[in-house]
Amino acid sequence: MDADVVNSKQGALNITIGALAGILALLAYLFIGSRNETLEVQKLLTSKVEQFATTKQQLDSISTVLDNKIAEVRRLGGSVAELERIKRQLENDKKVLRYDLAYSTQKYSLKIKDYQNFLTANEADIRKLREENGSLLSQARALEQEKQSILTENEGLKHEKAALTQTVVSYSIQNADLKDKVQLASTLKAVNVDVIAVAANGRERRGGPYKASRIDRLKISFLLPANPITTPDDKDVFVRILDGNGAVVSESGIGGVLWYQGTEIGYSTRQTIALDDDDQRVDILFRREAPYKPGPYTVELYAEGYKIGNARFQVK
């Protein structure tokens, strides 16, 4: 009886131990399976991170290459519009990448491939631009050498040129001086200038002083001597009558202005004279409505931009 009890207890213990061993084996299996699954997830995440980092690095590298190309094309004087457009597109892709929860290596690989193809095609354009600039640089150097050669050849002519220039200047001055002298010599000369007071009845008085009430007109009389180098044609003679204060005596509708030594001056009256080859007596009449104030007066005669004579008279 006791042996049966013992055997029964021993069997129950063995069953219990077997059950526990089975449970432990199951737990061990489940643990190992879970651990293997976690390792797979970790490996997948690690691969994704590495791919993300590689993609970012490739985009950054392309961005640097674009920056260098833009700088070089600008330096070479080419158009950077297309490069800048691609650069903006690349920067946008980099920005999207930072927040792309549905990151796809394949999608970004295609983008990177497109960028690389563009850079390859663009390199040919830049190479052509470099060649063109190199050709221009060679031409510039050749022109500079030619310039230096010409400067060297002309160095020996500088003194001759300076001497010739000085000679030309001297002759120009002499010619100008001679021209002035000829022109001055050909200028009209008014001699024996006399200012005569003419009364209303036509009576003339000479010498002065003249009473203001007896001056109806002034007659400016002078002689133009014959001048062999003066062209005989019509000449305008301008008369300036100045009072004691230097003001021009004028009458409305008669006087005007003329140029003398680069300055505009007023005149009282003018008369056109048909010049001939002989000594010529000229009389110019001037009348004003207002009476003359007492005091000294000056008469100046001008022709062809020169002052040709003058006289004085007194009014009392």
Side-chain angles (χ1 to χ4, degrees), residues 83-283:
L83 286 168
E84 288 181 336
R85 184 186 70 80
I86 296 298
K87 178 68 187 302
R88 288 193 297 272
Q89 179 179 320
L90 175 65
E91 293 301 320
N92 184 64
D93 285 340
K94 288 170 61 179
K95 183 177 180 181
V96 171
L97 177 63
R98 288 198 296 268
Y99 306 101
D100 193 354
L101 299 178
Y103 169 77
S104 168
T105 302
Q106 183 179 4
K107 180 179 72 173
Y108 282 95
S109 294
L110 292 175
K111 287 179 176 291
I112 290 170
K113 185 69 173 177
D114 289 340
Y115 287 130
Q116 290 173 340
N117 290 338
F118 171 79
L119 292 176
T120 301
N122 181 258
E123 182 59 30
D125 295 335
I126 294 178
R127 191 182 307 110
K128 182 179 179 181
L129 193 59
R130 289 194 199 106
E131 292 173 355
E132 291 175 352
N133 275 265
S135 176
L136 290 174
L137 183 59
S138 298
Q139 293 177 17
R141 287 173 178 169
L143 288 174
E144 180 63 24
Q145 291 175 356
E146 185 177 352
K147 172 187 172 184
Q148 292 301 324
S149 176
I150 293 174
L151 289 175
T152 301
E153 291 174 0
N154 289 341
E155 189 66 26
L157 300 175
K158 283 185 178 180
H159 296 297
E160 295 180 16
K161 179 181 177 183
L164 180 60
T165 301
Q166 185 60 43
T167 302
V168 171
V169 170
S170 298
Y171 277 119
S172 297
I173 294 174
Q174 292 175 12
N175 288 339
D177 185 55
L178 180 60
K179 181 180 178 182
D180 290 340
K181 289 179 179 178
V182 171
Q183 188 169 3
L184 183 61
S186 67
T187 302
L188 297 176
K189 298 293 187 296
V191 299
N192 300 330
V193 182
D194 194 9
V195 181
I196 304 166
V198 182
N201 60 5
R203 183 179 177 183
E204 296 183 357
R205 291 179 175 82
R206 296 174 181 270
Y210 306 124
K211 289 184 179 180
S213 59
R214 293 184 180 179
I215 302 176
D216 180 65
R217 288 164 293 169
L218 290 175
K219 182 166 77 171
I220 297 90
S221 181
F222 55 91
L223 180 67
L224 293 177
N227 189 334
I229 61 174
T230 299
T231 305
D233 57 8
D234 291 346
K235 306 287 186 182
D236 285 334
V237 176
F238 299 85
V239 179
R240 296 186 79 215
I241 303 173
L242 307 174
D243 63 18
N245 297 320
V248 177
V249 176
S250 62
E251 182 65 21
S252 177
I254 298 178
V257 294
L258 63 98
W259 284 95
Y260 176 64
Q261 294 183 349
T263 303
E264 198 175 59
I265 60 175
Y267 66 87
S268 304
T269 187
R270 76 172 180 176
Q271 183 169 312
T272 302
I273 301 168
L275 196 65
D276 54 35
D277 294 330
D278 299 323
D279 293 349
Q280 211 169 331
R281 171 61 61 178
V282 178
D283 294 327

Side-chain angles (χ1 to χ4, degrees), residues 21-33:
I23 292 171
L24 288 174
L26 178 60
L27 289 173
Y29 173 78
L30 292 174
F31 174 75
I32 292 171

